Amino acid sequence: MGGETQRRASGSSYPKLSAGPVGKQIQGIYKDRLGQFTSGGQYESQYLLGAMYEGRASGEGHVKLSVYSVPDLARPTFKEATSQEFKHTKVGESFGPSWSTHWFKVQLTVPSDLQKRDHLELHWDANCEGLVWTEDGEPLQGLTGGGERVEWILPQAFRDGKEHTIYIEMACNGMFGNAPGGDSIQPPNPEKYFQLQKADIVAVNLEARALFVDFWIIGDAAREFPGDSWESHDAQQVGNAIMDAFIAGHGSKESIIECRKIARKYIGDNVDSPNVYETESQSIVYAIGHCHIDTCWLWPWAETKRKIARSWSNQCDLMDRYPEHRFACSQAQQYKWLEQLYPSLYDRVKAKVKKGTFQPVGGSWVEHDTNMPSGESLVRQFLYGQRFFESHFGDRCTTFWLPDTFGYSSQLPQLCRLAGMSRFFTQKLSWNNINNFPHTTFNWVSLDGSQVLCHMAPSETYTAEAHFGDVKRSVTQHKSMDQDATSLLVFGKGDGGGGPTFQHMEKLRRCRGISDNIGLLPRVKMGNSVDDFFARLEKKAETGTKYVTWYGELYFELHRGTYTTQANNKLNNRKSEIMLHDIEYLATLASIKDSSYKYPKKDIDDMWESTLLCQFHDCLPGSSIEMCYDDSDELYAKVFETGEKALKDALSTLGFSRNASGQDNVAINTLPWHRAEIVKLPGSMSRAPEYALVDGKMGIACVSGLSSSAKSTASIKEIGKGVFQMSNKHFKLEVEGGIITSLIDLTVNREIIAKGGKANQLVIFDDKPLYWQAWDVEVYHLESREELPAGRTEILEQGPHRVSVVTETKISEHSWVKTTISLAASVEDQPSYVEMESEVEWRESMKFLKVEFPVDIVNTEASYETQYGIIRRPTHYNTNWDMAKFEVCCHKWADLSENGYGVSILNDSKYGFATCGNMMRLSLLRAPKAPDAHADMGRHHIRYAILPHAGPLDSRTIRTAYNFNHPMKIYSSPSDVHSTNSLLNAITLHGSPALILDCIKRGEDDEDVSRGEFSKRQGRSVILRIYESLGGKARGTINMKLAVKKVTRCNLLEDDESELKIHHGSVEIELRPFEVATFRLQL
């Protein structure tokens, strides 16, 4: 009936009959099970941790201990310490107190049963930091304690059965100081003791240790890949298979090797070597090791110096073990300390720098605050930093590295470019507590239009633990992927130092293995530098990629209290900057006058380095422990002592004497414009008038005694009970109870104070931030505003040259303010202002003292002085971005102006300010109790002033604020006044009043100045720093009375760039808005 087909037997091996029921894995249970394999607790001995070590030796026969406990919290050198008598000690004993040092002599004898083991380590855990030294004084490796970095690998030579000696220097502090309990920012406990818990020779099963990391990363993949992805399910299956194999093999060596074979199915075959990174696949995450060491914070500077040695020796060791390791390290000051205190370790670091594995970055002296230092201080951070790196390592830095500073001021891009850096790395804005900063990689544009290429790590940390999640977040949190998807992953223990560990290196190898073998996780790459990363970004810009832009400051929406905390420290900063300005100006001219006078370059360098050190981002902001401010007070005292001597020597060479007596007195004006001021004469001049008129251009100013019949006077009268009217030619004001209730500008007949307003009103706020006491002030503190009631006001001075009233205000049972309001007679065409001087006894707890000025001015923006420019910020709360700026940083002045009129508030040492509507509020003092329990307690002297001005904000405010901060001092007249004055104003700037001649100094490498870091330049030169201060194009002329051969424009590092034409002793210049320019006058 048709064709037939031949049936074939089925060849399938699929069983016909079911072997029995098989259930579906309950995913949550099997995922949770993974945690048992590598954790402690009740199953520790049953799983991997129980197989980690193959043997252990301890006790007198193998680890013999003796100790020298250093008295008086001293930190002796190795030679000093090891020459002392050591006493027997043992595991279990405790050592202290906080900050003390104990040197241990550790005599090791490896027992015969461990000598043949593959890998031997000394495990030392005293729950505090330490440093391992060889018997002959070479620092080897740092120890952290508390279970972290407690191992030191024993050399092969120690396996001979003989006794071998090392030393361990114990520092009685943890990685984050000595805070009591678990809250690291609380003031340190001075009586903390540390128990030596472990001192064992241990044989480590390296395969078990490797399996631990294999399993760690596979477990992370199971947990952190999307739950509905096959990659997550596969990781969970592999993890459970590893556990099953371990159990089946009873945790034997063979079972561990089998477990690793199973792991390789997921992580790949090359994770035990740097070859894992050598694949053709494109990487987008570039991992760079880093060790952020706060130069001071929860520990003093002396401990930082030891943290550097502990941390950097660790990295040198890791580089020998992991060829792919690249370590980026900033802060020239820390390199200098290492060179001075640990020369052999410094040589080791220098060799790694030459090899390219230890990579200096940053270009600055320290990782400094950028809000409060002056413009010239920012310049010197770069000048001293770059010169150190170039002179010691042969290259300048191209990347400005500042991951942990509390906001970034608006002129940094310009200064970076002028210091040879086109790149900037940070991440701190990820801490914003109001708005989420919108970019990862972008062009950051300065006030003058200069730009740097900025990258903020999307992992949002500079101390990544190199976890699976850190790699993952480097993409999932990347905000600039439209332009570029790559990112830096900056990993390593930090803040307290330490840096990357071997676990970090191993985890990253496995992350890369998963990326190549499984996918989904972004590929991480090691072996490149920070500069390599940025060079690739710059190359993309050259070929057409347009990165987004951010103009102006990178305002940090947190840590706003740091503009005010530790007021004395901030005052010392301002004073040191002003002193250095004057010393350099006077010493420069003294060196020109007299060839036998030696320009005090070493003293100036020492003063600048100390000032720059104190500008570290936890010192100047006020967020360190009390010991740090004891240190900075001592350092500033030395700065002022050195500075006074340098001033005396320069003035003596110029013919001046401080012994001002009789009628032949003059003042020195170190600012580059005419000044005319009424000055109080020194108290020693008892027969002379109390006040004098000081009048003169840059250089020598005449001092003229004032009589009661002077043309311009100030007057005061009581117009009601306790109500005083003070007036001069410019102003009439009324004061009641220390409050200015009226201030009329007589030149335009305008009331300055808002209707019903009270200027110079002291107000106090409850100040309890969410956590960071010294750092933060939160917006809700404004709701606790309380006016301080004033006491009785009395007349202190009745004129005719100056009038003043004084009022004492009680804050509490323990605190008070004594405020003097003064008005001097008007002088010529100089601006007049109302000055306030407050003496404060401050003994409060968690309070914030401010002073208010409600002014009759309307504008949606206020202006604030920043370095080399002006920044405008909102006076309203329209958006969260606006409201976030409820407390901001300013320098010598803040201004609120409308068309035709404005008011400036000047200060001599304050940095915190707020303008809300028409209320201008200067921040005076805070009282946080952590990390310094005594922050700001004690006596303070504060000067501030109100400067009304008809017309717009202009050079009057700029110059008056400079004058306010640079009081003229009176000296005896030099014998040849004319020639001395001619020398002192031998270099002058004319033209636009917006141009500021901010610095006059000698060239760094002039042959009579150089300290030998670089080749000497022939001849002598003078360096000028000029900037445009108001935000418009400005032209001017540098006039020179000196025999100047050549004028060149140069960068901040004093590299000559272009020559300017000299015409009849003058050079014409033109600067764009807010531009900073440096010129060299070659004599």
Side-chain angles (χ1 to χ4, degrees):
M1 302 290 296
E4 295 181 0
T5 59
Q6 184 176 359
R7 296 183 182 275
R8 296 181 181 179
S10 172
S12 172
S13 61
Y14 176 69
K16 181 178 181 180
L17 300 177
S18 171
V22 177
K24 180 180 179 180
Q25 285 187 3
I26 308 302
Q27 187 174 1
I29 293 175
Y30 280 80
K31 185 176 290 185
D32 289 347
R33 180 201 183 202
L34 299 180
Q36 296 179 346
F37 192 56
T38 54
S39 63
Q42 61 182 335
Y43 301 124
E44 178 177 341
S45 63
Q46 301 297 310
Y47 281 122
L48 187 56
L49 293 184
M52 193 71 72
Y53 306 116
E54 300 172 331
R56 186 179 295 268
S58 59
E60 287 289 308
H62 306 293
V63 185
K64 183 179 178 182
L65 302 175
S66 54
V67 65
Y68 164 58
S69 295
V70 183
D72 304 322
L73 305 186
R75 294 174 173 86
T77 65
F78 175 87
K79 185 175 180 180
E80 291 167 345
T82 55
S83 65
Q84 304 298 319
E85 179 183 354
F86 281 68
K87 297 180 180 179
H88 176 266
T89 191
K90 62 182 184 298
V91 172
E93 291 196 359
S94 295
F95 301 88
S98 304
W99 313 116
S100 62
T101 299
H102 305 266
W103 282 81
F104 291 83
K105 186 177 184 180
V106 184
Q107 295 163 284
L108 302 171
T109 305
V110 178
S112 57
D113 62 321
L114 297 186
Q115 290 173 18
K116 300 297 183 182
R117 297 292 184 179
D118 292 338
H119 185 81
L120 298 181
E121 296 175 348
L122 171 67
H123 285 194
W124 177 281
D125 196 348
N127 287 297
C128 61
E129 292 194 84
L131 180 62
V132 180
W133 295 77
T134 65
E135 189 175 17
D136 56 357
E138 293 296 319
L140 293 177
Q141 180 200 305
L143 302 167
T144 300
E148 286 195 0
R149 208 174 331 237
V150 298
E151 69 284 332
W152 175 65
I153 299 173
L154 266 63
Q156 286 291 325
F158 281 33
R159 296 167 178 258
D160 57 3
K162 299 178 182 179
E163 186 177 86
H164 296 268
T165 299
I166 62 170
Y167 289 89
I168 294 179
E169 178 188 13
M170 174 197 278
C172 284
N173 53 267
M175 189 65 83
F176 290 89
N178 280 309
D183 188 348
S184 64
I185 72 163
Q186 293 307 307
N189 174 6
E191 294 297 328
K192 202 167 183 179
Y193 282 74
F194 297 85
Q195 185 182 55
L196 177 58
Q197 295 180 334
K198 188 183 296 181
D200 300 342
I201 298 172
V202 180
V204 181
N205 183 336
L206 290 180
E207 284 294 315
R209 181 178 277 177
L211 177 60
F212 184 96
V213 187
D214 294 345
F215 194 86
W216 185 348
I217 296 300
I218 292 169
D220 279 352
R223 289 181 290 270
E224 296 200 38
F225 274 147
D228 58 356
S229 68
W230 73 264
E231 293 91 346
S232 172
H233 284 268
D234 200 21
Q236 182 169 312
Q237 294 305 308
V238 170
N240 278 278
I242 289 172
M243 293 182 72
D244 293 340
F246 185 88
I247 293 168
H250 306 289
S252 64
K253 273 191 170 184
E254 292 73 20
S255 72
I256 290 171
I257 292 171
E258 180 61 29
C259 289
R260 293 213 68 208
K261 289 180 182 178
I262 297 170
R264 289 192 190 100
K265 295 177 183 177
Y266 200 84
I267 62 177
D269 294 327
N270 293 321
V271 296
D272 290 333
S273 84
N275 295 335
V276 70
Y277 299 109
E278 303 304 321
T279 65
E280 300 278 329
S281 305
Q282 180 64 44
S283 302
I284 60 172
V285 179
Y286 294 82
I288 191 80
H290 182 53
C291 170
H292 182 70
I293 304 178
D294 284 317
T295 303
C296 68
W297 182 30
L298 303 177
W299 51 87
W301 285 328
E303 197 55 46
T304 303
K305 296 170 185 178
R306 299 202 295 190
K307 283 177 175 286
I308 296 163
R310 293 191 287 259
S311 302
W312 295 6
S313 61
N314 291 339
Q315 301 316 305
C316 290
D317 175 63
L318 273 184
M319 289 167 194
D320 294 336
R321 294 157 59 192
Y322 293 90
E324 70 268 33
H325 185 29
R326 301 293 181 270
F327 179 69
C329 192
S330 65
Q331 306 196 73
Q333 173 69 84
Q334 295 188 4
Y335 287 88
K336 181 174 181 177
W337 279 337
L338 189 75
E339 182 183 25
Q340 291 172 334
L341 301 173
Y342 301 89
S344 64
L345 178 54
Y346 174 79
D347 289 341
R348 193 177 173 196
V349 166
K350 195 169 184 177
K352 300 295 185 186
V353 172
K354 187 174 182 180
K355 190 177 179 181
T357 51
F358 199 113
Q359 299 169 346
V361 294
S364 58
W365 190 249
V366 294
E367 288 189 14
H368 52 92
D369 177 75
T370 77
N371 288 310
M372 291 169 282
S374 68
E376 191 60 32
S377 285
L378 294 184
V379 168
R380 300 309 173 96
Q381 288 284 355
F382 292 144
L383 178 68
Y384 281 87
Q386 290 284 50
R387 284 176 65 85
F388 183 92
F389 288 126
E390 185 179 9
S391 63
H392 286 72
F393 305 120
D395 287 309
R396 295 172 177 173
C397 301
T398 60
T399 301
F400 185 31
W401 183 274
L402 212 58
D404 192 32
T405 293
F406 312 148
Y408 305 94
S409 55
S410 52
Q411 287 285 50
L412 282 174
Q414 178 179 187
L415 300 181
C416 283
R417 296 309 295 260
L418 292 170
M421 294 181 284
S422 59
R423 304 139 178 191
F424 177 49
F425 172 81
T426 187
Q427 65 79 51
K428 197 66 176 182
L429 267 61
S430 67
W431 285 39
N432 279 4
N433 71 345
I434 295 180
N435 298 287
N436 189 6
F437 190 77
H439 309 306
T440 293
T441 302
F442 58 98
N443 292 315
W444 180 24
V445 184
S446 192
L447 292 179
D448 77 313
S450 301
Q451 67 178 6
V452 291
L453 187 54
C454 180
H455 180 73
M456 297 186 181
S459 58
E460 298 189 348
T461 181
Y462 53 89
T463 59
E465 290 284 355
H467 289 319
F468 179 99
D470 290 320
V471 177
K472 179 184 172 187
R473 285 186 290 274
S474 295
V475 167
T476 60
Q477 295 180 169
H478 201 300
K479 302 167 189 170
S480 301
M481 297 186 75
D482 292 346
Q483 290 81 39
D484 185 82
T486 63
S487 65
L488 280 176
L489 175 62
V490 181
F491 68 95
K493 305 287 183 180
D495 290 334
T501 65
F502 77 86
Q503 293 96 329
H504 293 146
M505 312 303 296
E506 297 287 352
K507 284 189 288 182
L508 288 172
R509 285 181 175 181
R510 285 152 180 81
C511 286
R512 176 55 184 264
I514 289 176
S515 301
D516 287 334
N517 196 51
I518 299 297
L520 196 56
L521 186 68
R523 286 186 179 85
V524 63
K525 170 72 173 173
M526 288 197 68
N528 291 105
S529 67
V530 173
D531 286 343
D532 293 334
F533 171 79
F534 275 104
R536 198 193 60 79
L537 292 177
E538 288 182 351
K539 186 69 175 176
K540 286 191 69 173
E542 290 173 11
T543 55
T545 298
K546 293 184 178 180
Y547 299 108
V548 298
T549 53
W550 184 273
Y551 283 80
E553 70 176 332
L554 294 172
Y555 177 83
F556 184 38
E557 296 178 2
L558 203 67
H559 295 2
R560 302 168 184 88
T562 59
Y563 312 143
T564 305
T565 309
Q566 298 287 1
N568 187 59
N569 196 54
K570 291 171 168 58
L571 174 63
N572 284 336
N573 174 70
R574 183 83 62 89
K575 286 169 59 180
S576 65
E577 290 172 336
I578 290 167
M579 175 177 270
L580 279 159
H581 168 276
D582 290 354
I583 289 171
E584 289 185 326
Y585 162 64
L586 295 169
T588 294
L589 297 171
S591 69
I592 292 171
K593 176 186 178 183
D594 186 348
S595 60
S596 66
Y597 168 81
K598 177 68 176 174
Y599 186 80
K601 184 68 166 65
K602 181 183 183 304
D603 287 343
I604 289 172
D605 286 348
D606 289 346
M607 291 176 68
W608 266 120
E609 288 179 12
S610 295
T611 301
L612 301 178
L613 170 58
C614 291
Q615 290 171 352
F616 177 74
H617 69 253
D618 276 308
C619 186
L620 181 56
S623 48
S624 292
I625 62 173
E626 187 172 8
M627 295 172 76
C628 298
Y629 296 106
D630 293 339
D631 287 346
S632 66
D633 286 348
E634 184 179 334
L635 200 55
Y636 277 125
K638 187 175 180 181
V639 166
F640 298 139
E641 180 184 356
T642 303
E644 285 295 337
K645 182 181 183 302
L647 278 172
K648 182 179 179 181
D649 291 346
L651 288 166
S652 177
T653 300
L654 292 167
F656 294 95
S657 167
R658 288 297 296 269
N659 298 320
S661 59
Q663 300 302 310
D664 296 328
N665 295 321
V666 295
I668 298 179
N669 176 14
T670 60
L671 295 177
W673 46 72
H674 171 254
R675 295 172 67 177
E677 301 167 14
I678 292 177
V679 175
K680 193 171 185 177
L681 294 171
S684 60
M685 301 170 62
S686 57
R687 296 183 182 178
E690 187 179 0
Y691 286 96
L693 174 65
V694 176
D695 189 345
K697 298 180 180 179
M698 188 179 196
I700 293 178
C702 297
V703 177
S704 305
L706 292 172
S707 67
S708 58
S709 59
K711 287 189 295 182
S712 179
T713 61
S715 64
I716 186 170
K717 59 184 177 180
E718 188 169 7
I719 60 174
K721 187 174 181 180
V723 181
F724 300 90
Q725 185 183 88
M726 308 164 69
S727 61
N728 65 11
K729 189 169 64 176
H730 287 153
F731 300 127
K732 180 173 69 176
L733 63 151
E734 293 181 7
V735 179
E736 182 176 4
I739 305 302
I740 301 174
T741 56
S742 174
L743 173 56
I744 297 174
D745 185 339
L746 298 173
T747 64
V748 293
N749 193 29
R750 174 168 179 152
E751 175 64 65
I752 310 303
I753 309 303
K755 186 175 181 180
K758 295 183 284 187
N760 199 47
Q761 172 67 63
L762 292 165
V763 287
I764 198 163
F765 300 83
D766 188 69
D767 189 13
K768 299 184 182 74
L770 296 175
Y771 176 65
W772 301 96
Q773 283 196 46
W775 295 259
D776 286 348
V777 57
E778 295 294 356
V779 66
Y780 54 75
H781 88 287
L782 295 169
E783 298 167 20
S784 65
R785 176 183 177 274
E786 179 184 347
E787 293 183 2
L788 292 178
R792 192 162 63 93
T793 299
E794 297 177 343
I795 295 175
L796 185 65
E797 294 179 284
Q798 301 193 56
H801 312 300
R802 182 182 176 97
V803 294
S804 58
V805 294
V806 62
T807 306
E808 186 163 337
T809 303
K810 184 177 181 181
I811 299 173
S812 68
E813 290 300 317
H814 307 290
S815 303
W816 50 263
V817 184
K818 185 184 291 184
T819 303
T820 302
I821 302 175
S822 302
L823 182 68
S826 304
V827 178
E828 300 177 2
D829 57 350
Q830 299 292 305
S832 190
Y833 53 79
V834 181
E835 180 178 348
M836 277 65 70
E837 185 167 0
S838 293
E839 181 181 7
V840 188
E841 180 66 20
W842 183 244
R843 300 288 177 184
E844 297 304 292
S845 179
M846 302 181 194
K847 298 293 182 182
F848 200 153
L849 181 67
K850 306 185 186 187
V851 62
E852 294 181 340
F853 297 90
V855 295
D856 188 19
I857 301 289
V858 177
N859 201 327
T860 57
E861 287 186 325
S863 300
Y864 304 86
E865 185 187 39
T866 187
Q867 298 97 343
Y868 298 131
I870 299 169
I871 186 161
R872 293 175 175 86
R873 301 183 178 108
T875 62
H876 54 78
Y877 296 161
N878 282 1
T879 70
N880 283 352
W881 291 92
D882 299 324
M883 189 181 73
K885 296 177 181 178
F886 62 84
E887 180 85 4
V888 297
C889 184
C890 74
H891 280 227
K892 298 184 290 294
W893 58 265
D895 183 86
L896 183 63
S897 292
E898 62 188 26
N899 182 40
Y901 205 88
V903 175
S904 300
I905 304 297
L906 317 180
N907 75 83
D908 75 335
S909 60
K910 298 299 164 187
Y911 296 92
F913 207 93
T915 307
C916 182
N918 69 335
M919 177 64 78
M920 305 180 76
R921 189 181 287 127
L922 177 66
S923 296
L924 300 179
L925 294 168
R926 296 186 69 223
K929 298 304 173 189
D932 177 2
H934 306 107
D936 284 320
M937 296 298 98
R939 193 66 57 90
H940 298 269
H941 296 270
I942 307 164
R943 289 174 61 241
Y944 51 96
I946 179 169
L947 171 68
H949 56 85
L953 169 65
D954 58 22
S955 61
R956 291 170 296 174
T957 291
I958 309 286
R959 293 183 175 190
T960 305
Y962 265 97
N963 296 350
F964 193 75
N965 279 267
H966 289 73
M968 288 190 282
K969 296 176 182 176
I970 296 176
Y971 302 89
S972 63
S973 178
S975 57
D976 189 347
V977 175
H978 179 75
S979 62
T980 302
N981 193 41
S982 180
L983 176 64
L984 290 177
N985 60 33
I987 302 166
T988 53
L989 179 63
H990 300 268
S992 169
L995 294 175
I996 307 290
L997 174 55
D998 197 46
C999 173
I1000 298 176
K1001 64 183 286 290
R1002 288 295 306 275
E1004 291 290 313
D1005 297 312
D1006 287 357
E1007 59 186 359
D1008 62 328
V1009 169
S1010 170
R1011 297 180 65 195
E1013 305 102 311
F1014 297 97
S1015 299
K1016 294 181 179 181
R1017 293 178 57 97
Q1018 288 189 346
R1020 298 180 296 171
S1021 67
V1022 176
I1023 300 295
L1024 311 181
R1025 195 109 51 228
I1026 299 172
Y1027 73 98
E1028 196 287 320
S1029 63
L1030 291 173
K1033 183 179 289 187
R1035 296 186 178 94
T1037 303
I1038 302 171
N1039 291 338
M1040 304 162 289
K1041 299 177 184 176
L1042 305 173
V1044 177
K1045 298 177 182 177
K1046 184 170 68 170
V1047 177
T1048 54
R1049 184 157 180 169
C1050 50
N1051 61 20
L1052 300 185
L1053 307 183
E1054 302 183 12
D1055 302 320
D1056 291 341
E1057 293 180 341
S1058 59
E1059 186 172 349
L1060 281 69
K1061 186 177 180 181
I1062 302 173
H1063 185 70
H1064 298 304
S1066 299
V1067 169
E1068 293 183 354
I1069 62 171
E1070 179 178 286
L1071 272 61
R1072 62 181 179 270
F1074 297 126
E1075 184 179 7
V1076 181
T1078 305
F1079 301 93
R1080 182 193 304 278
L1081 313 183
Q1082 189 68 44
L1083 305 182

